[in-house]
Amino acid sequence: MTQSLPSTTLAVDPAWIDAYGHLNAAHYVGIFDRVGFELLSQVGVGLDYTEETRCGIYTMNVHVAYLREVLEGDPLALQVRLLASDDKRLLCLMELTQTRDGYLAATMEQLSLHVDLNTRRATPFPDALSAQLARTVAEHARHPLPKGYRRLLPLQGAR
């Protein structure tokens, strides 16, 4: 049985609306960053991991695709899937769906680097976490990707 992808629900806050009457581009990124980070705790690299180990993931690169606008009060769902990992890096895809009408509003690919916060340098994931991330990547690969999605960020080249 395939486990569900980490997800949560929220609604478009009136404070996030811009002069065009829709969710401002910066707030999409804010949602992906803030809420997506909270969801990453479900795969082992959230705030609890950072507090326990003094290590965490730094965002190295993002690609946001704004697919369809969302308006004030629209109900949203955010889900996160791991696309790839290696000894120091993690590539994930976050999907923001407007749930009332059932459409994908935006996606964000995020390439992150595992960093020791004491040295402020990249460091390998602990072996157990690396193995857990690899298992999660395999599990998440069983879920279909959004229609029309094509991966844009490579895992290589971020050392």
Side-chain angles (χ1 to χ4, degrees):
M1 178 157 122
T2 302
Q3 295 179 354
S4 62
L5 297 170
S7 64
T8 192
T9 58
L10 62 151
V12 178
D13 188 301
W16 302 342
I17 300 301
D18 64 16
Y20 299 117
H22 61 206
L23 182 63
N24 179 272
H27 288 290
Y28 282 91
V29 176
I31 291 167
F32 287 130
D33 184 59
R34 180 179 44 82
V35 180
F37 182 68
E38 292 169 10
L39 290 175
L40 286 172
S41 67
Q42 295 180 34
V43 297
V45 290
L47 185 57
D48 52 345
Y49 170 73
T50 299
E51 290 172 345
E52 290 172 19
T53 66
R54 292 286 302 146
C55 291
I57 54 172
Y58 280 17
T59 300
M60 302 301 295
N61 198 345
V62 296
H63 179 271
V64 180
Y66 303 98
L67 305 170
R68 216 166 138 191
E69 71 179 354
V70 293
L71 308 174
E72 181 178 328
D74 276 355
L76 305 173
L78 178 67
Q79 71 179 18
V80 173
R81 72 176 74 223
L82 303 189
L83 296 173
S85 66
D86 67 13
D87 65 326
K88 295 180 185 175
R89 294 166 298 175
L90 181 63
L91 181 65
C92 66
L93 176 66
M94 299 183 200
E95 302 162 45
L96 189 65
T97 301
Q98 196 264 33
T99 58
R100 182 183 50 250
D101 301 318
Y103 62 84
L104 185 61
T107 61
M108 186 175 89
E109 283 185 11
Q110 178 176 303
L111 178 62
S112 300
L113 181 66
H114 186 246
V115 173
D116 180 321
L117 298 179
N118 295 313
T119 64
R120 314 304 275 190
R121 300 277 183 226
T123 188
F125 289 111
D127 290 342
L129 179 56
S130 184
Q132 176 185 330
L133 292 172
R135 285 190 304 273
T136 303
V137 166
E139 177 64 31
H140 288 185
R142 296 181 183 144
H143 294 270
L145 290 165
K147 185 178 179 180
Y149 167 77
R150 64 181 175 79
R151 190 163 131 182
L152 296 172
L153 297 178
L155 188 60
Q156 71 276 3
R159 292 204 188 276

